[in-house]
């Protein structure tokens, strides 16, 4: 299990907790339960958590699938600098945000889920993981003139392509080309036109 | 709140007797109790269903024993994982409704105990305070925090544990997490054990109470609801008696839980069975071939097995398609290093290094299966189109070998009269291990005069400049420069419109099975082709699509 990137799961869990906090808060506020003001707090905290967790960080190796439309929030998070990169901070923030919501029944599920997300973030931080934004890939522009090759440097007759390759370069086809290495013609070649 | 505001929700059970049973409860909770009970019933049903699609030995058993599981029904059995996910979404939705409804219920219980509570709910809540009285409202004192009440009841604690388990299950099963780390998904998914235990215990506290049938016979509900202050005095209204509802969730889930427990026991038993590794071959492009033998192992082409390597991980079983044919005395799989587990396996079997491994030092393997998959249907269609992309050629390797053997065996008459095979591959080196098979098949078919039985096309979709030059130089030779086969390799992706048009033209009024193994994008476009080129006339050509993927 050494290869698991805990931060990825923590991110999913925190996003889900944020949504559950918002839902619980809406139920408590709309139903005007006792101490429903905790419900309004839960909505605000849930929205903050969702905004923070929506941009997915990029994985240590391999490509990461972006969430739809996340680059705007990624730009905002990049401005926060170390506050968004450091997972210790995120763990502490989630723990702190979850505590007030624990006093109201409707939001207690969101509290517990957010505490679990905080624990997973702590584990990720201990293992040295960091949030790195997913950079957009630069669009590949077709390079003008890139396919125009230099004209051949030696006059004809020229040995075929494989012979022109440097020795030691692998030949990709299993059938194999002629033995590699530039060939020296055994018979001196002269122009027959007199 | 006046009596006229008490409305009975339409979901409520139809029998008027049951109406009266819960009537008094309704006066406290209005319709949220009905929502909670309805969603609880949906939850019971869904929790019963969720374990069935993942009991793969049970599904294999159903597929094998009933003849009705050929054709369309058999294809539905292949979609078991999709069904599992669908039921999981159903559980999530029903659970959300159930939780919200009970939040309102608890809040109303709590309010009914307070000083400001109106008439009937207050009167009902006070019942049970004197001896000889049974109570209705589970919150017995005023002024407590509903959170404390939740945490001191069995239903509350198990409910919290259940919802937590469900959320953990769902957040670790998203597609992204499964790709990032399959092990995390698999290990976290075992939280379902806690889920089912909590589900069985959820109703044990009997917190939802209703009037007992005996009390209803004595207590005239329609009159007494308006005279709750005279319940002692009036003869028609003796004190109502209440009792808790029996838990019913365990009755729903007991069967599937036992079935799944049997499934895990079968897997454990298969784990104990001995598997002898007869040969390990390392192919280019990081493909490892393992040839094994196991007692009483019989297979059909296109089936797959699950392999476990205890040295790498005790809990993980990974599926691999069988690439050997039934007539061979061994069974083999081709494994490509594509993730943690497969990389560890390839390393353990010495695929990476140059040194030979001592056969005794090879790690032990356990095999579960074989499990049926759609490819066994190839022999049932008069014409079949098999399309493979990259390593997806493995199920078709077994099929072609089986076809070759049936071809050699002149006694058997093959039902399919024509098989089209397409292989789309990016790397020329990956052809090597399959090219030998195709070569022997080609010669065999032409020797037996059945050269037109199998028509295959290989498409190479990636090359560099040197390869392109080499191919151009050898363009006019008889055999293909890359594979050595008589059939020339095509370059670039196939034009499916042309191919399907040609096949539909050659087989005007038959049903043609289309079998595919490979990436999703191509699967979607092939499905579209099948729909496009199937004729609207029931007697015309029909393409039936089925996809193999893990």
């Amino acid at each position: 299990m050494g290869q698991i990137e805990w931060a990825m799961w923590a991110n999913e869990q925190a996003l889900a907790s944020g949504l559950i906090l918002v839902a619980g808060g809406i139920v408590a506020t709309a139903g005007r339960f006792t101490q429903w003001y905790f419900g309004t707090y839960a909505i605000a905290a849930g929205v903050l958590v969702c905004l923070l967790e929506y941009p997915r960080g990029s994985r240590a190796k391999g490509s990461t699938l972006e969430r739809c439309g996340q680059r705007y929030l990624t730009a905002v998070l990049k401005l926060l600098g170390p506050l968004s990169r450091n997972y210790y901070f995120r763990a502490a923030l989630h723990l702190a945000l979850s505590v007030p919501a624990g006093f109201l029944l409707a939001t207690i599920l969101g509290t517990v889920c957010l505490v679990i997300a905080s624990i997973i973030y702590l584990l990720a931080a201990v293992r040295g993981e960091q949030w790195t934004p997913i950079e957009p890939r630069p669009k590949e522009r077709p390079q003008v003139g890139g396919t125009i090759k230099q004209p051949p440097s030696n006059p004809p007759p020229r040995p075929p392509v494989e012979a022109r390759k440097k020795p030691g370069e692998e030949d990709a086809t299993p059938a194999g080309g002629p033995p590699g290495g530039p060939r020296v013609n055994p018979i001196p070649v002269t122009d027959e036109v007199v | 709140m006046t009596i006229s505001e008490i409305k009975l929700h339409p979901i409520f059970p139809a029998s008027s007797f049951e109406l009266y049973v819960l009537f008094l409860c309704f006066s406290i909770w209005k319709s949220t109790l009905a929502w909670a009970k309805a969603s609880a019933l949906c939850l019971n049903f869904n929790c019963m269903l969720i374990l069935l699609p993942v009991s793969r030995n049970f599904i294999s058993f159903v597929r094998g024993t009933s003849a009705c599981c050929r054709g369309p029904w058999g294809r539905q059995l292949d979609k078991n994982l999709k069904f599992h996910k669908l039921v999981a979404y159903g559980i999530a939705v029903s659970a959300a409704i159930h939780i919200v409804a009970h939040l309102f219920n608890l809040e109303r219980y709590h309010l009914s105990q307070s000083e400001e509570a109106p008439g009937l709910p207050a009167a009902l809540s006070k019942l049970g305070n004197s001896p000889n009285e049974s109570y209705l409202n589970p919150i017995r004192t005023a002024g407590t925090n509903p959170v404390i009440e939740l945490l001191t009841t069995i239903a509350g604690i198990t409910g919290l544990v259940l919802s937590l388990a469900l959320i953990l299950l769902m957040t670790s099963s998203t597609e992204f997490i499964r790709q990032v780390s399959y092990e995390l998904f698999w290990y976290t998914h075992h939280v379902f054990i806690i889920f089912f235990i909590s589900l069985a215990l959820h109703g044990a506290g009997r917190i939802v109470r209703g009037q007992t049938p005996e009390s209803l016979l004595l207590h005239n509900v329609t009159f007494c609801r308006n005279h709750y202050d005279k319940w002692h005095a009036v003869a028609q209204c003796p004190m109502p008696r209440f009792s808790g509802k029996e838990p019913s969730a365990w009755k729903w889930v007991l069967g599937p839980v036992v079935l799944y427990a049997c499934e895990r026991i079968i897997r454990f038993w298969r784990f104990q069975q001995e598997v002898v590794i007869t040969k390990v071959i390392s192919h280019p492009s990081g493909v490892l071939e393992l040839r094994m033998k196991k007692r009483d192992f019989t297979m059909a082409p296109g089936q797959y097995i699950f392999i476990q390597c205890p040295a790498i991980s005790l809990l993980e079983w990974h599926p691999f398609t069988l690439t050997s044919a039934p007539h061979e005395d061994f069974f083999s799989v081709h494994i490509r290093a594509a993730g943690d587990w497969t990389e560890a396996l390839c390393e353990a079997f010495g695929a990476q290094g140059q040194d030979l491994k001592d056969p005794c030092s090879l790690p032990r393997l356990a095999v579960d299966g074989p499990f049926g998959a759609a490819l066994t249907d190839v022999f049932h269609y008069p014409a079949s189109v098999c399309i493979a992309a990259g390593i997806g050629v493995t199920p078709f390797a077994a099929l072609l070998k089986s076809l070759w053997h049936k071809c050699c065996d002149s006694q058997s008459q093959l039902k399919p009269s024509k098989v089209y095979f397409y292989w789309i591959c990016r790397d020329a080196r990956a052809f090597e291990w399959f090219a030998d098979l195709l070569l022997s098949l080609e010669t065999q078919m032409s020797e037996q005069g059945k050269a037109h039985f199998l028509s295959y096309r290989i498409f190479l979709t990636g090359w560099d400049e040197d390869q392109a030059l080499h191919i151009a130089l050898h363009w006019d030779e008889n055999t293909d420069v890359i594979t050595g086969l008589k059939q020339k390799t095509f370059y670039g992706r196939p034009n499916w419109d042309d191919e399907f048009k040609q096949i539909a033209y050659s087989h005007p009024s038959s049903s043609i099975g289309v079998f595919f193994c490979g990436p999703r994008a191509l699967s979607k476009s092939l499905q579209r082709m099948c729909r496009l080129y199937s004729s609207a006339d029931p007697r015309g050509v029909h393409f039936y699509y089925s996809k193999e993927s893990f």
Side-chain angles (χ1 to χ4, degrees):
Chain A
M1 291 232 286
Q3 304 296 326
I4 297 176
E5 288 190 45
W6 295 96
M8 296 294 134
W9 183 31
N11 173 266
E12 301 276 334
Q13 179 71 17
L15 188 62
S17 318
L19 292 170
I20 293 167
L21 267 179
V22 169
I26 291 175
V27 165
T29 317
R32 294 285 163 151
F33 291 174
T34 41
Q35 296 178 314
W36 61 270
Y37 39 86
F38 281 117
T40 35
Y41 164 79
I43 296 175
V47 167
L48 177 65
V49 167
C50 285
L51 287 175
L52 179 64
E53 297 294 336
Y54 189 74
R56 205 177 258 153
S58 80
R59 287 167 60 184
K61 56 175 185 178
S63 63
T64 320
L65 191 65
E66 273 194 351
R67 286 204 180 102
C68 183
Q70 78 168 46
R71 41 189 177 160
Y72 309 108
L73 279 169
T74 311
V76 172
L77 278 189
K78 276 204 285 201
L79 293 172
L80 290 175
L83 286 182
S84 61
R85 268 202 310 271
N86 192 319
Y87 284 146
Y88 281 111
F89 176 74
R90 277 202 204 198
L93 178 70
H94 289 325
L95 195 59
L97 284 177
S98 64
V99 168
F103 293 105
L104 185 62
L105 182 63
T107 51
I108 197 170
L109 184 61
T111 301
V112 185
C113 289
L114 202 53
V115 166
I116 291 179
S118 164
I119 293 171
I120 307 173
Y121 264 129
L122 189 63
L123 183 60
V126 162
R127 296 193 64 237
E129 293 176 30
Q130 268 205 337
W131 186 83
T132 40
I134 301 177
E135 300 293 346
R137 257 190 308 200
K139 284 205 177 92
E140 288 170 17
R141 294 235 183 94
Q143 286 177 354
V144 178
T147 53
I148 298 173
K149 295 260 180 293
Q150 291 294 332
S153 52
N154 44 344
R158 285 184 283 275
V161 179
E162 302 89 84
R164 268 186 265 141
K165 280 198 298 211
K166 294 196 224 26
E169 203 176 279
E170 224 182 85
D171 191 44
T173 55
R183 257 204 332 235
V184 176
N185 290 327
I187 302 167
V189 178
T190 52
D191 188 356
E192 286 179 351
V193 174
V194 176
Chain B
M1 188 184 72
T2 62
I3 303 300
S4 59
E5 284 178 79
I6 300 170
K7 288 190 289 280
L8 293 172
H9 197 275
I11 292 181
F12 197 47
S15 141
S16 53
F17 180 75
E18 285 163 328
L19 258 160
Y20 288 136
V21 169
L22 289 169
F23 187 90
L24 289 177
C25 312
F26 260 41
S27 74
I28 300 185
W29 304 305
K30 289 195 180 175
S31 65
T32 48
L33 179 66
W35 283 98
K37 286 181 101 58
S39 53
L41 200 58
C42 290
L43 276 169
N44 283 339
F45 184 63
N46 283 331
C47 291
M48 177 184 77
L49 289 181
I50 193 127
L51 284 177
L52 297 177
V54 287
S55 309
R56 53 182 188 240
N57 283 294
F58 171 66
I59 292 176
S60 235
F61 173 73
V62 166
R63 189 201 297 272
T65 50
S66 47
C68 73
C69 280
R70 295 273 166 80
W73 293 108
R75 283 202 292 277
Q76 296 313 312
L77 283 177
D78 291 331
K79 297 182 187 167
N80 53 337
L81 284 180
K82 224 182 232 181
F83 184 62
H84 181 80
K85 287 177 206 171
L86 195 66
V87 175
Y89 289 135
I91 290 180
V93 170
S94 310
I97 298 174
H98 189 76
I99 293 170
V100 170
H102 272 317
L103 284 176
F104 278 98
N105 286 338
L106 265 176
E107 186 62 24
R108 291 210 170 97
Y109 274 142
H110 173 71
L111 282 174
S112 303
Q113 280 287 9
S114 67
E115 302 297 318
E116 303 89 30
L120 181 56
L124 286 169
S125 301
K126 289 192 178 49
L127 286 176
N129 287 338
S130 330
N132 291 338
E133 275 179 2
S134 54
Y135 68 91
L136 178 62
N137 189 339
I139 297 184
R140 301 304 316 144
T141 50
T144 57
N145 192 338
V147 175
I148 310 288
E149 292 298 322
L150 177 94
L151 294 176
T152 49
T153 52
I154 295 179
I157 297 176
T158 50
L160 190 62
V161 169
L162 273 168
S163 25
L164 211 57
L166 186 65
I167 289 164
L168 282 175
L169 278 168
M170 297 198 82
T171 55
S172 60
S173 324
T174 58
E175 172 117 23
F176 179 67
I177 296 287
R178 271 184 281 132
Q179 277 175 11
V180 168
S181 169
Y182 197 85
E183 291 95 346
L184 178 69
F185 153 68
W186 181 237
Y187 292 124
T188 325
H189 229 64
H190 284 80
V191 171
F192 77 88
I193 301 171
I194 301 178
F195 182 87
F196 277 96
I197 295 174
S198 308
L199 184 66
L201 294 173
H202 190 53
R206 296 168 195 240
I207 196 171
V208 175
R209 300 175 72 86
Q211 201 167 359
T212 59
E214 302 81 22
S215 171
L216 269 172
L217 292 172
L218 304 170
H219 187 104
N220 184 341
V221 179
T222 37
F223 172 77
C224 298
R225 69 183 185 188
N226 295 325
H227 300 92
Y228 48 83
D229 47 342
K230 300 195 200 110
W231 276 353
H232 291 284
V234 180
Q236 292 147 309
C237 306
M239 292 310 291
R241 307 210 61 79
F242 303 101
S243 64
K245 298 288 161 196
E246 272 199 6
S248 63
W250 66 272
K251 297 175 197 162
W252 289 85
V253 299
L254 186 65
V257 164
V258 167
L259 188 73
Y260 191 73
C262 292
E263 161 78 28
R264 293 303 279 253
I265 291 171
I266 290 175
R267 287 188 205 176
F268 181 71
W269 175 59
R270 294 256 167 92
F271 166 76
Q272 302 286 74
Q273 288 177 324
E274 202 194 339
V275 172
V276 175
I277 301 170
T278 57
K279 211 170 187 180
V280 176
I281 304 169
S282 174
H283 292 282
S285 303
V287 172
L288 183 76
E289 178 182 350
L290 290 172
R291 291 192 183 173
M292 296 169 273
K293 273 196 201 183
K294 192 176 163 198
R295 203 192 304 185
D296 297 332
F297 186 86
T298 51
M299 56 159 282
Q303 289 192 306
Y304 59 95
I305 53 171
F306 278 81
I307 296 182
Q308 185 202 51
C309 186
I312 300 175
S313 167
L314 267 177
L315 273 186
E316 293 175 45
W317 292 83
H318 290 260
F320 295 98
T321 319
L322 290 162
T323 48
S324 57
H327 66 273
E328 288 168 325
D329 61 351
F330 59 85
F331 62 94
S332 69
V333 291
H334 283 69
I335 301 171
R336 187 171 65 99
D340 289 341
W341 192 87
T342 39
E343 270 172 18
L345 191 75
C346 287
E347 207 178 296
F349 280 87
Q352 259 71 329
Q354 299 299 325
D355 50 328
L356 290 167
K357 284 238 169 181
D358 180 23
C360 304
S361 71
L362 289 174
R364 185 175 155 256
L365 289 181
V367 165
D368 190 14
F371 298 105
L375 207 44
T376 45
D377 296 337
V378 172
F379 296 112
H380 303 305
Y381 289 97
S384 295
V385 179
C386 301
I387 302 161
I391 194 70
V393 77
T394 37
F396 302 108
L399 180 72
L400 290 180
K401 278 192 206 173
S402 177
L403 272 175
W404 170 39
H405 182 249
K406 286 209 165 91
C407 210
C408 300
D409 181 16
S410 48
Q411 307 297 332
S412 65
Q413 284 299 320
L414 290 168
K415 177 166 182 201
S417 62
K418 183 88 181 165
V419 174
Y420 297 90
F421 178 64
Y422 294 87
W423 189 16
I424 303 140
C425 206
R426 209 178 296 166
D427 190 352
R429 281 180 298 178
F431 283 106
E432 199 226 49
W433 67 271
F434 198 65
D436 295 331
L437 170 65
L438 281 178
L439 194 57
S440 50
L441 207 54
E442 203 178 33
T443 37
Q444 197 70 34
M445 296 278 178
S446 53
E447 269 171 31
Q448 297 241 344
K450 291 185 189 162
H452 299 291
F453 172 73
L454 173 70
S455 150
Y456 63 90
R457 304 234 169 118
I458 302 176
F459 292 83
L460 179 66
T461 52
W463 57 83
D464 61 20
E465 221 181 276
D466 290 327
Q467 276 177 303
L469 282 169
H470 189 71
I471 290 161
L473 281 171
H474 297 269
W475 189 250
D476 291 323
E477 288 178 15
N478 276 343
T479 54
D480 184 62
V481 69
I482 293 179
T483 55
L485 297 162
K486 285 216 189 71
Q487 169 75 37
K488 292 286 187 138
T489 309
F490 292 80
Y491 299 97
R493 291 183 188 167
N495 185 336
W496 293 115
D497 284 296
D498 289 340
E499 304 289 342
F500 272 79
K501 235 181 259 180
Q502 205 176 341
I503 296 170
Y505 183 68
S506 318
H507 302 267
S509 48
S510 15
S511 26
I512 302 177
V514 177
F515 301 90
F516 171 70
C517 184
R520 201 173 300 173
L522 186 50
S523 169
K524 284 200 162 61
S525 60
L526 285 172
Q527 258 179 309
R528 208 178 56 236
M529 289 294 141
C530 288
R531 277 198 297 266
L532 203 55
Y533 288 97
S534 290
S535 138
D537 184 356
R539 290 164 303 172
V541 66
H542 282 276
F543 289 96
Y544 293 98
Y545 178 80
S546 64
K547 185 194 176 203
E548 195 84 24
S549 72
F550 302 119

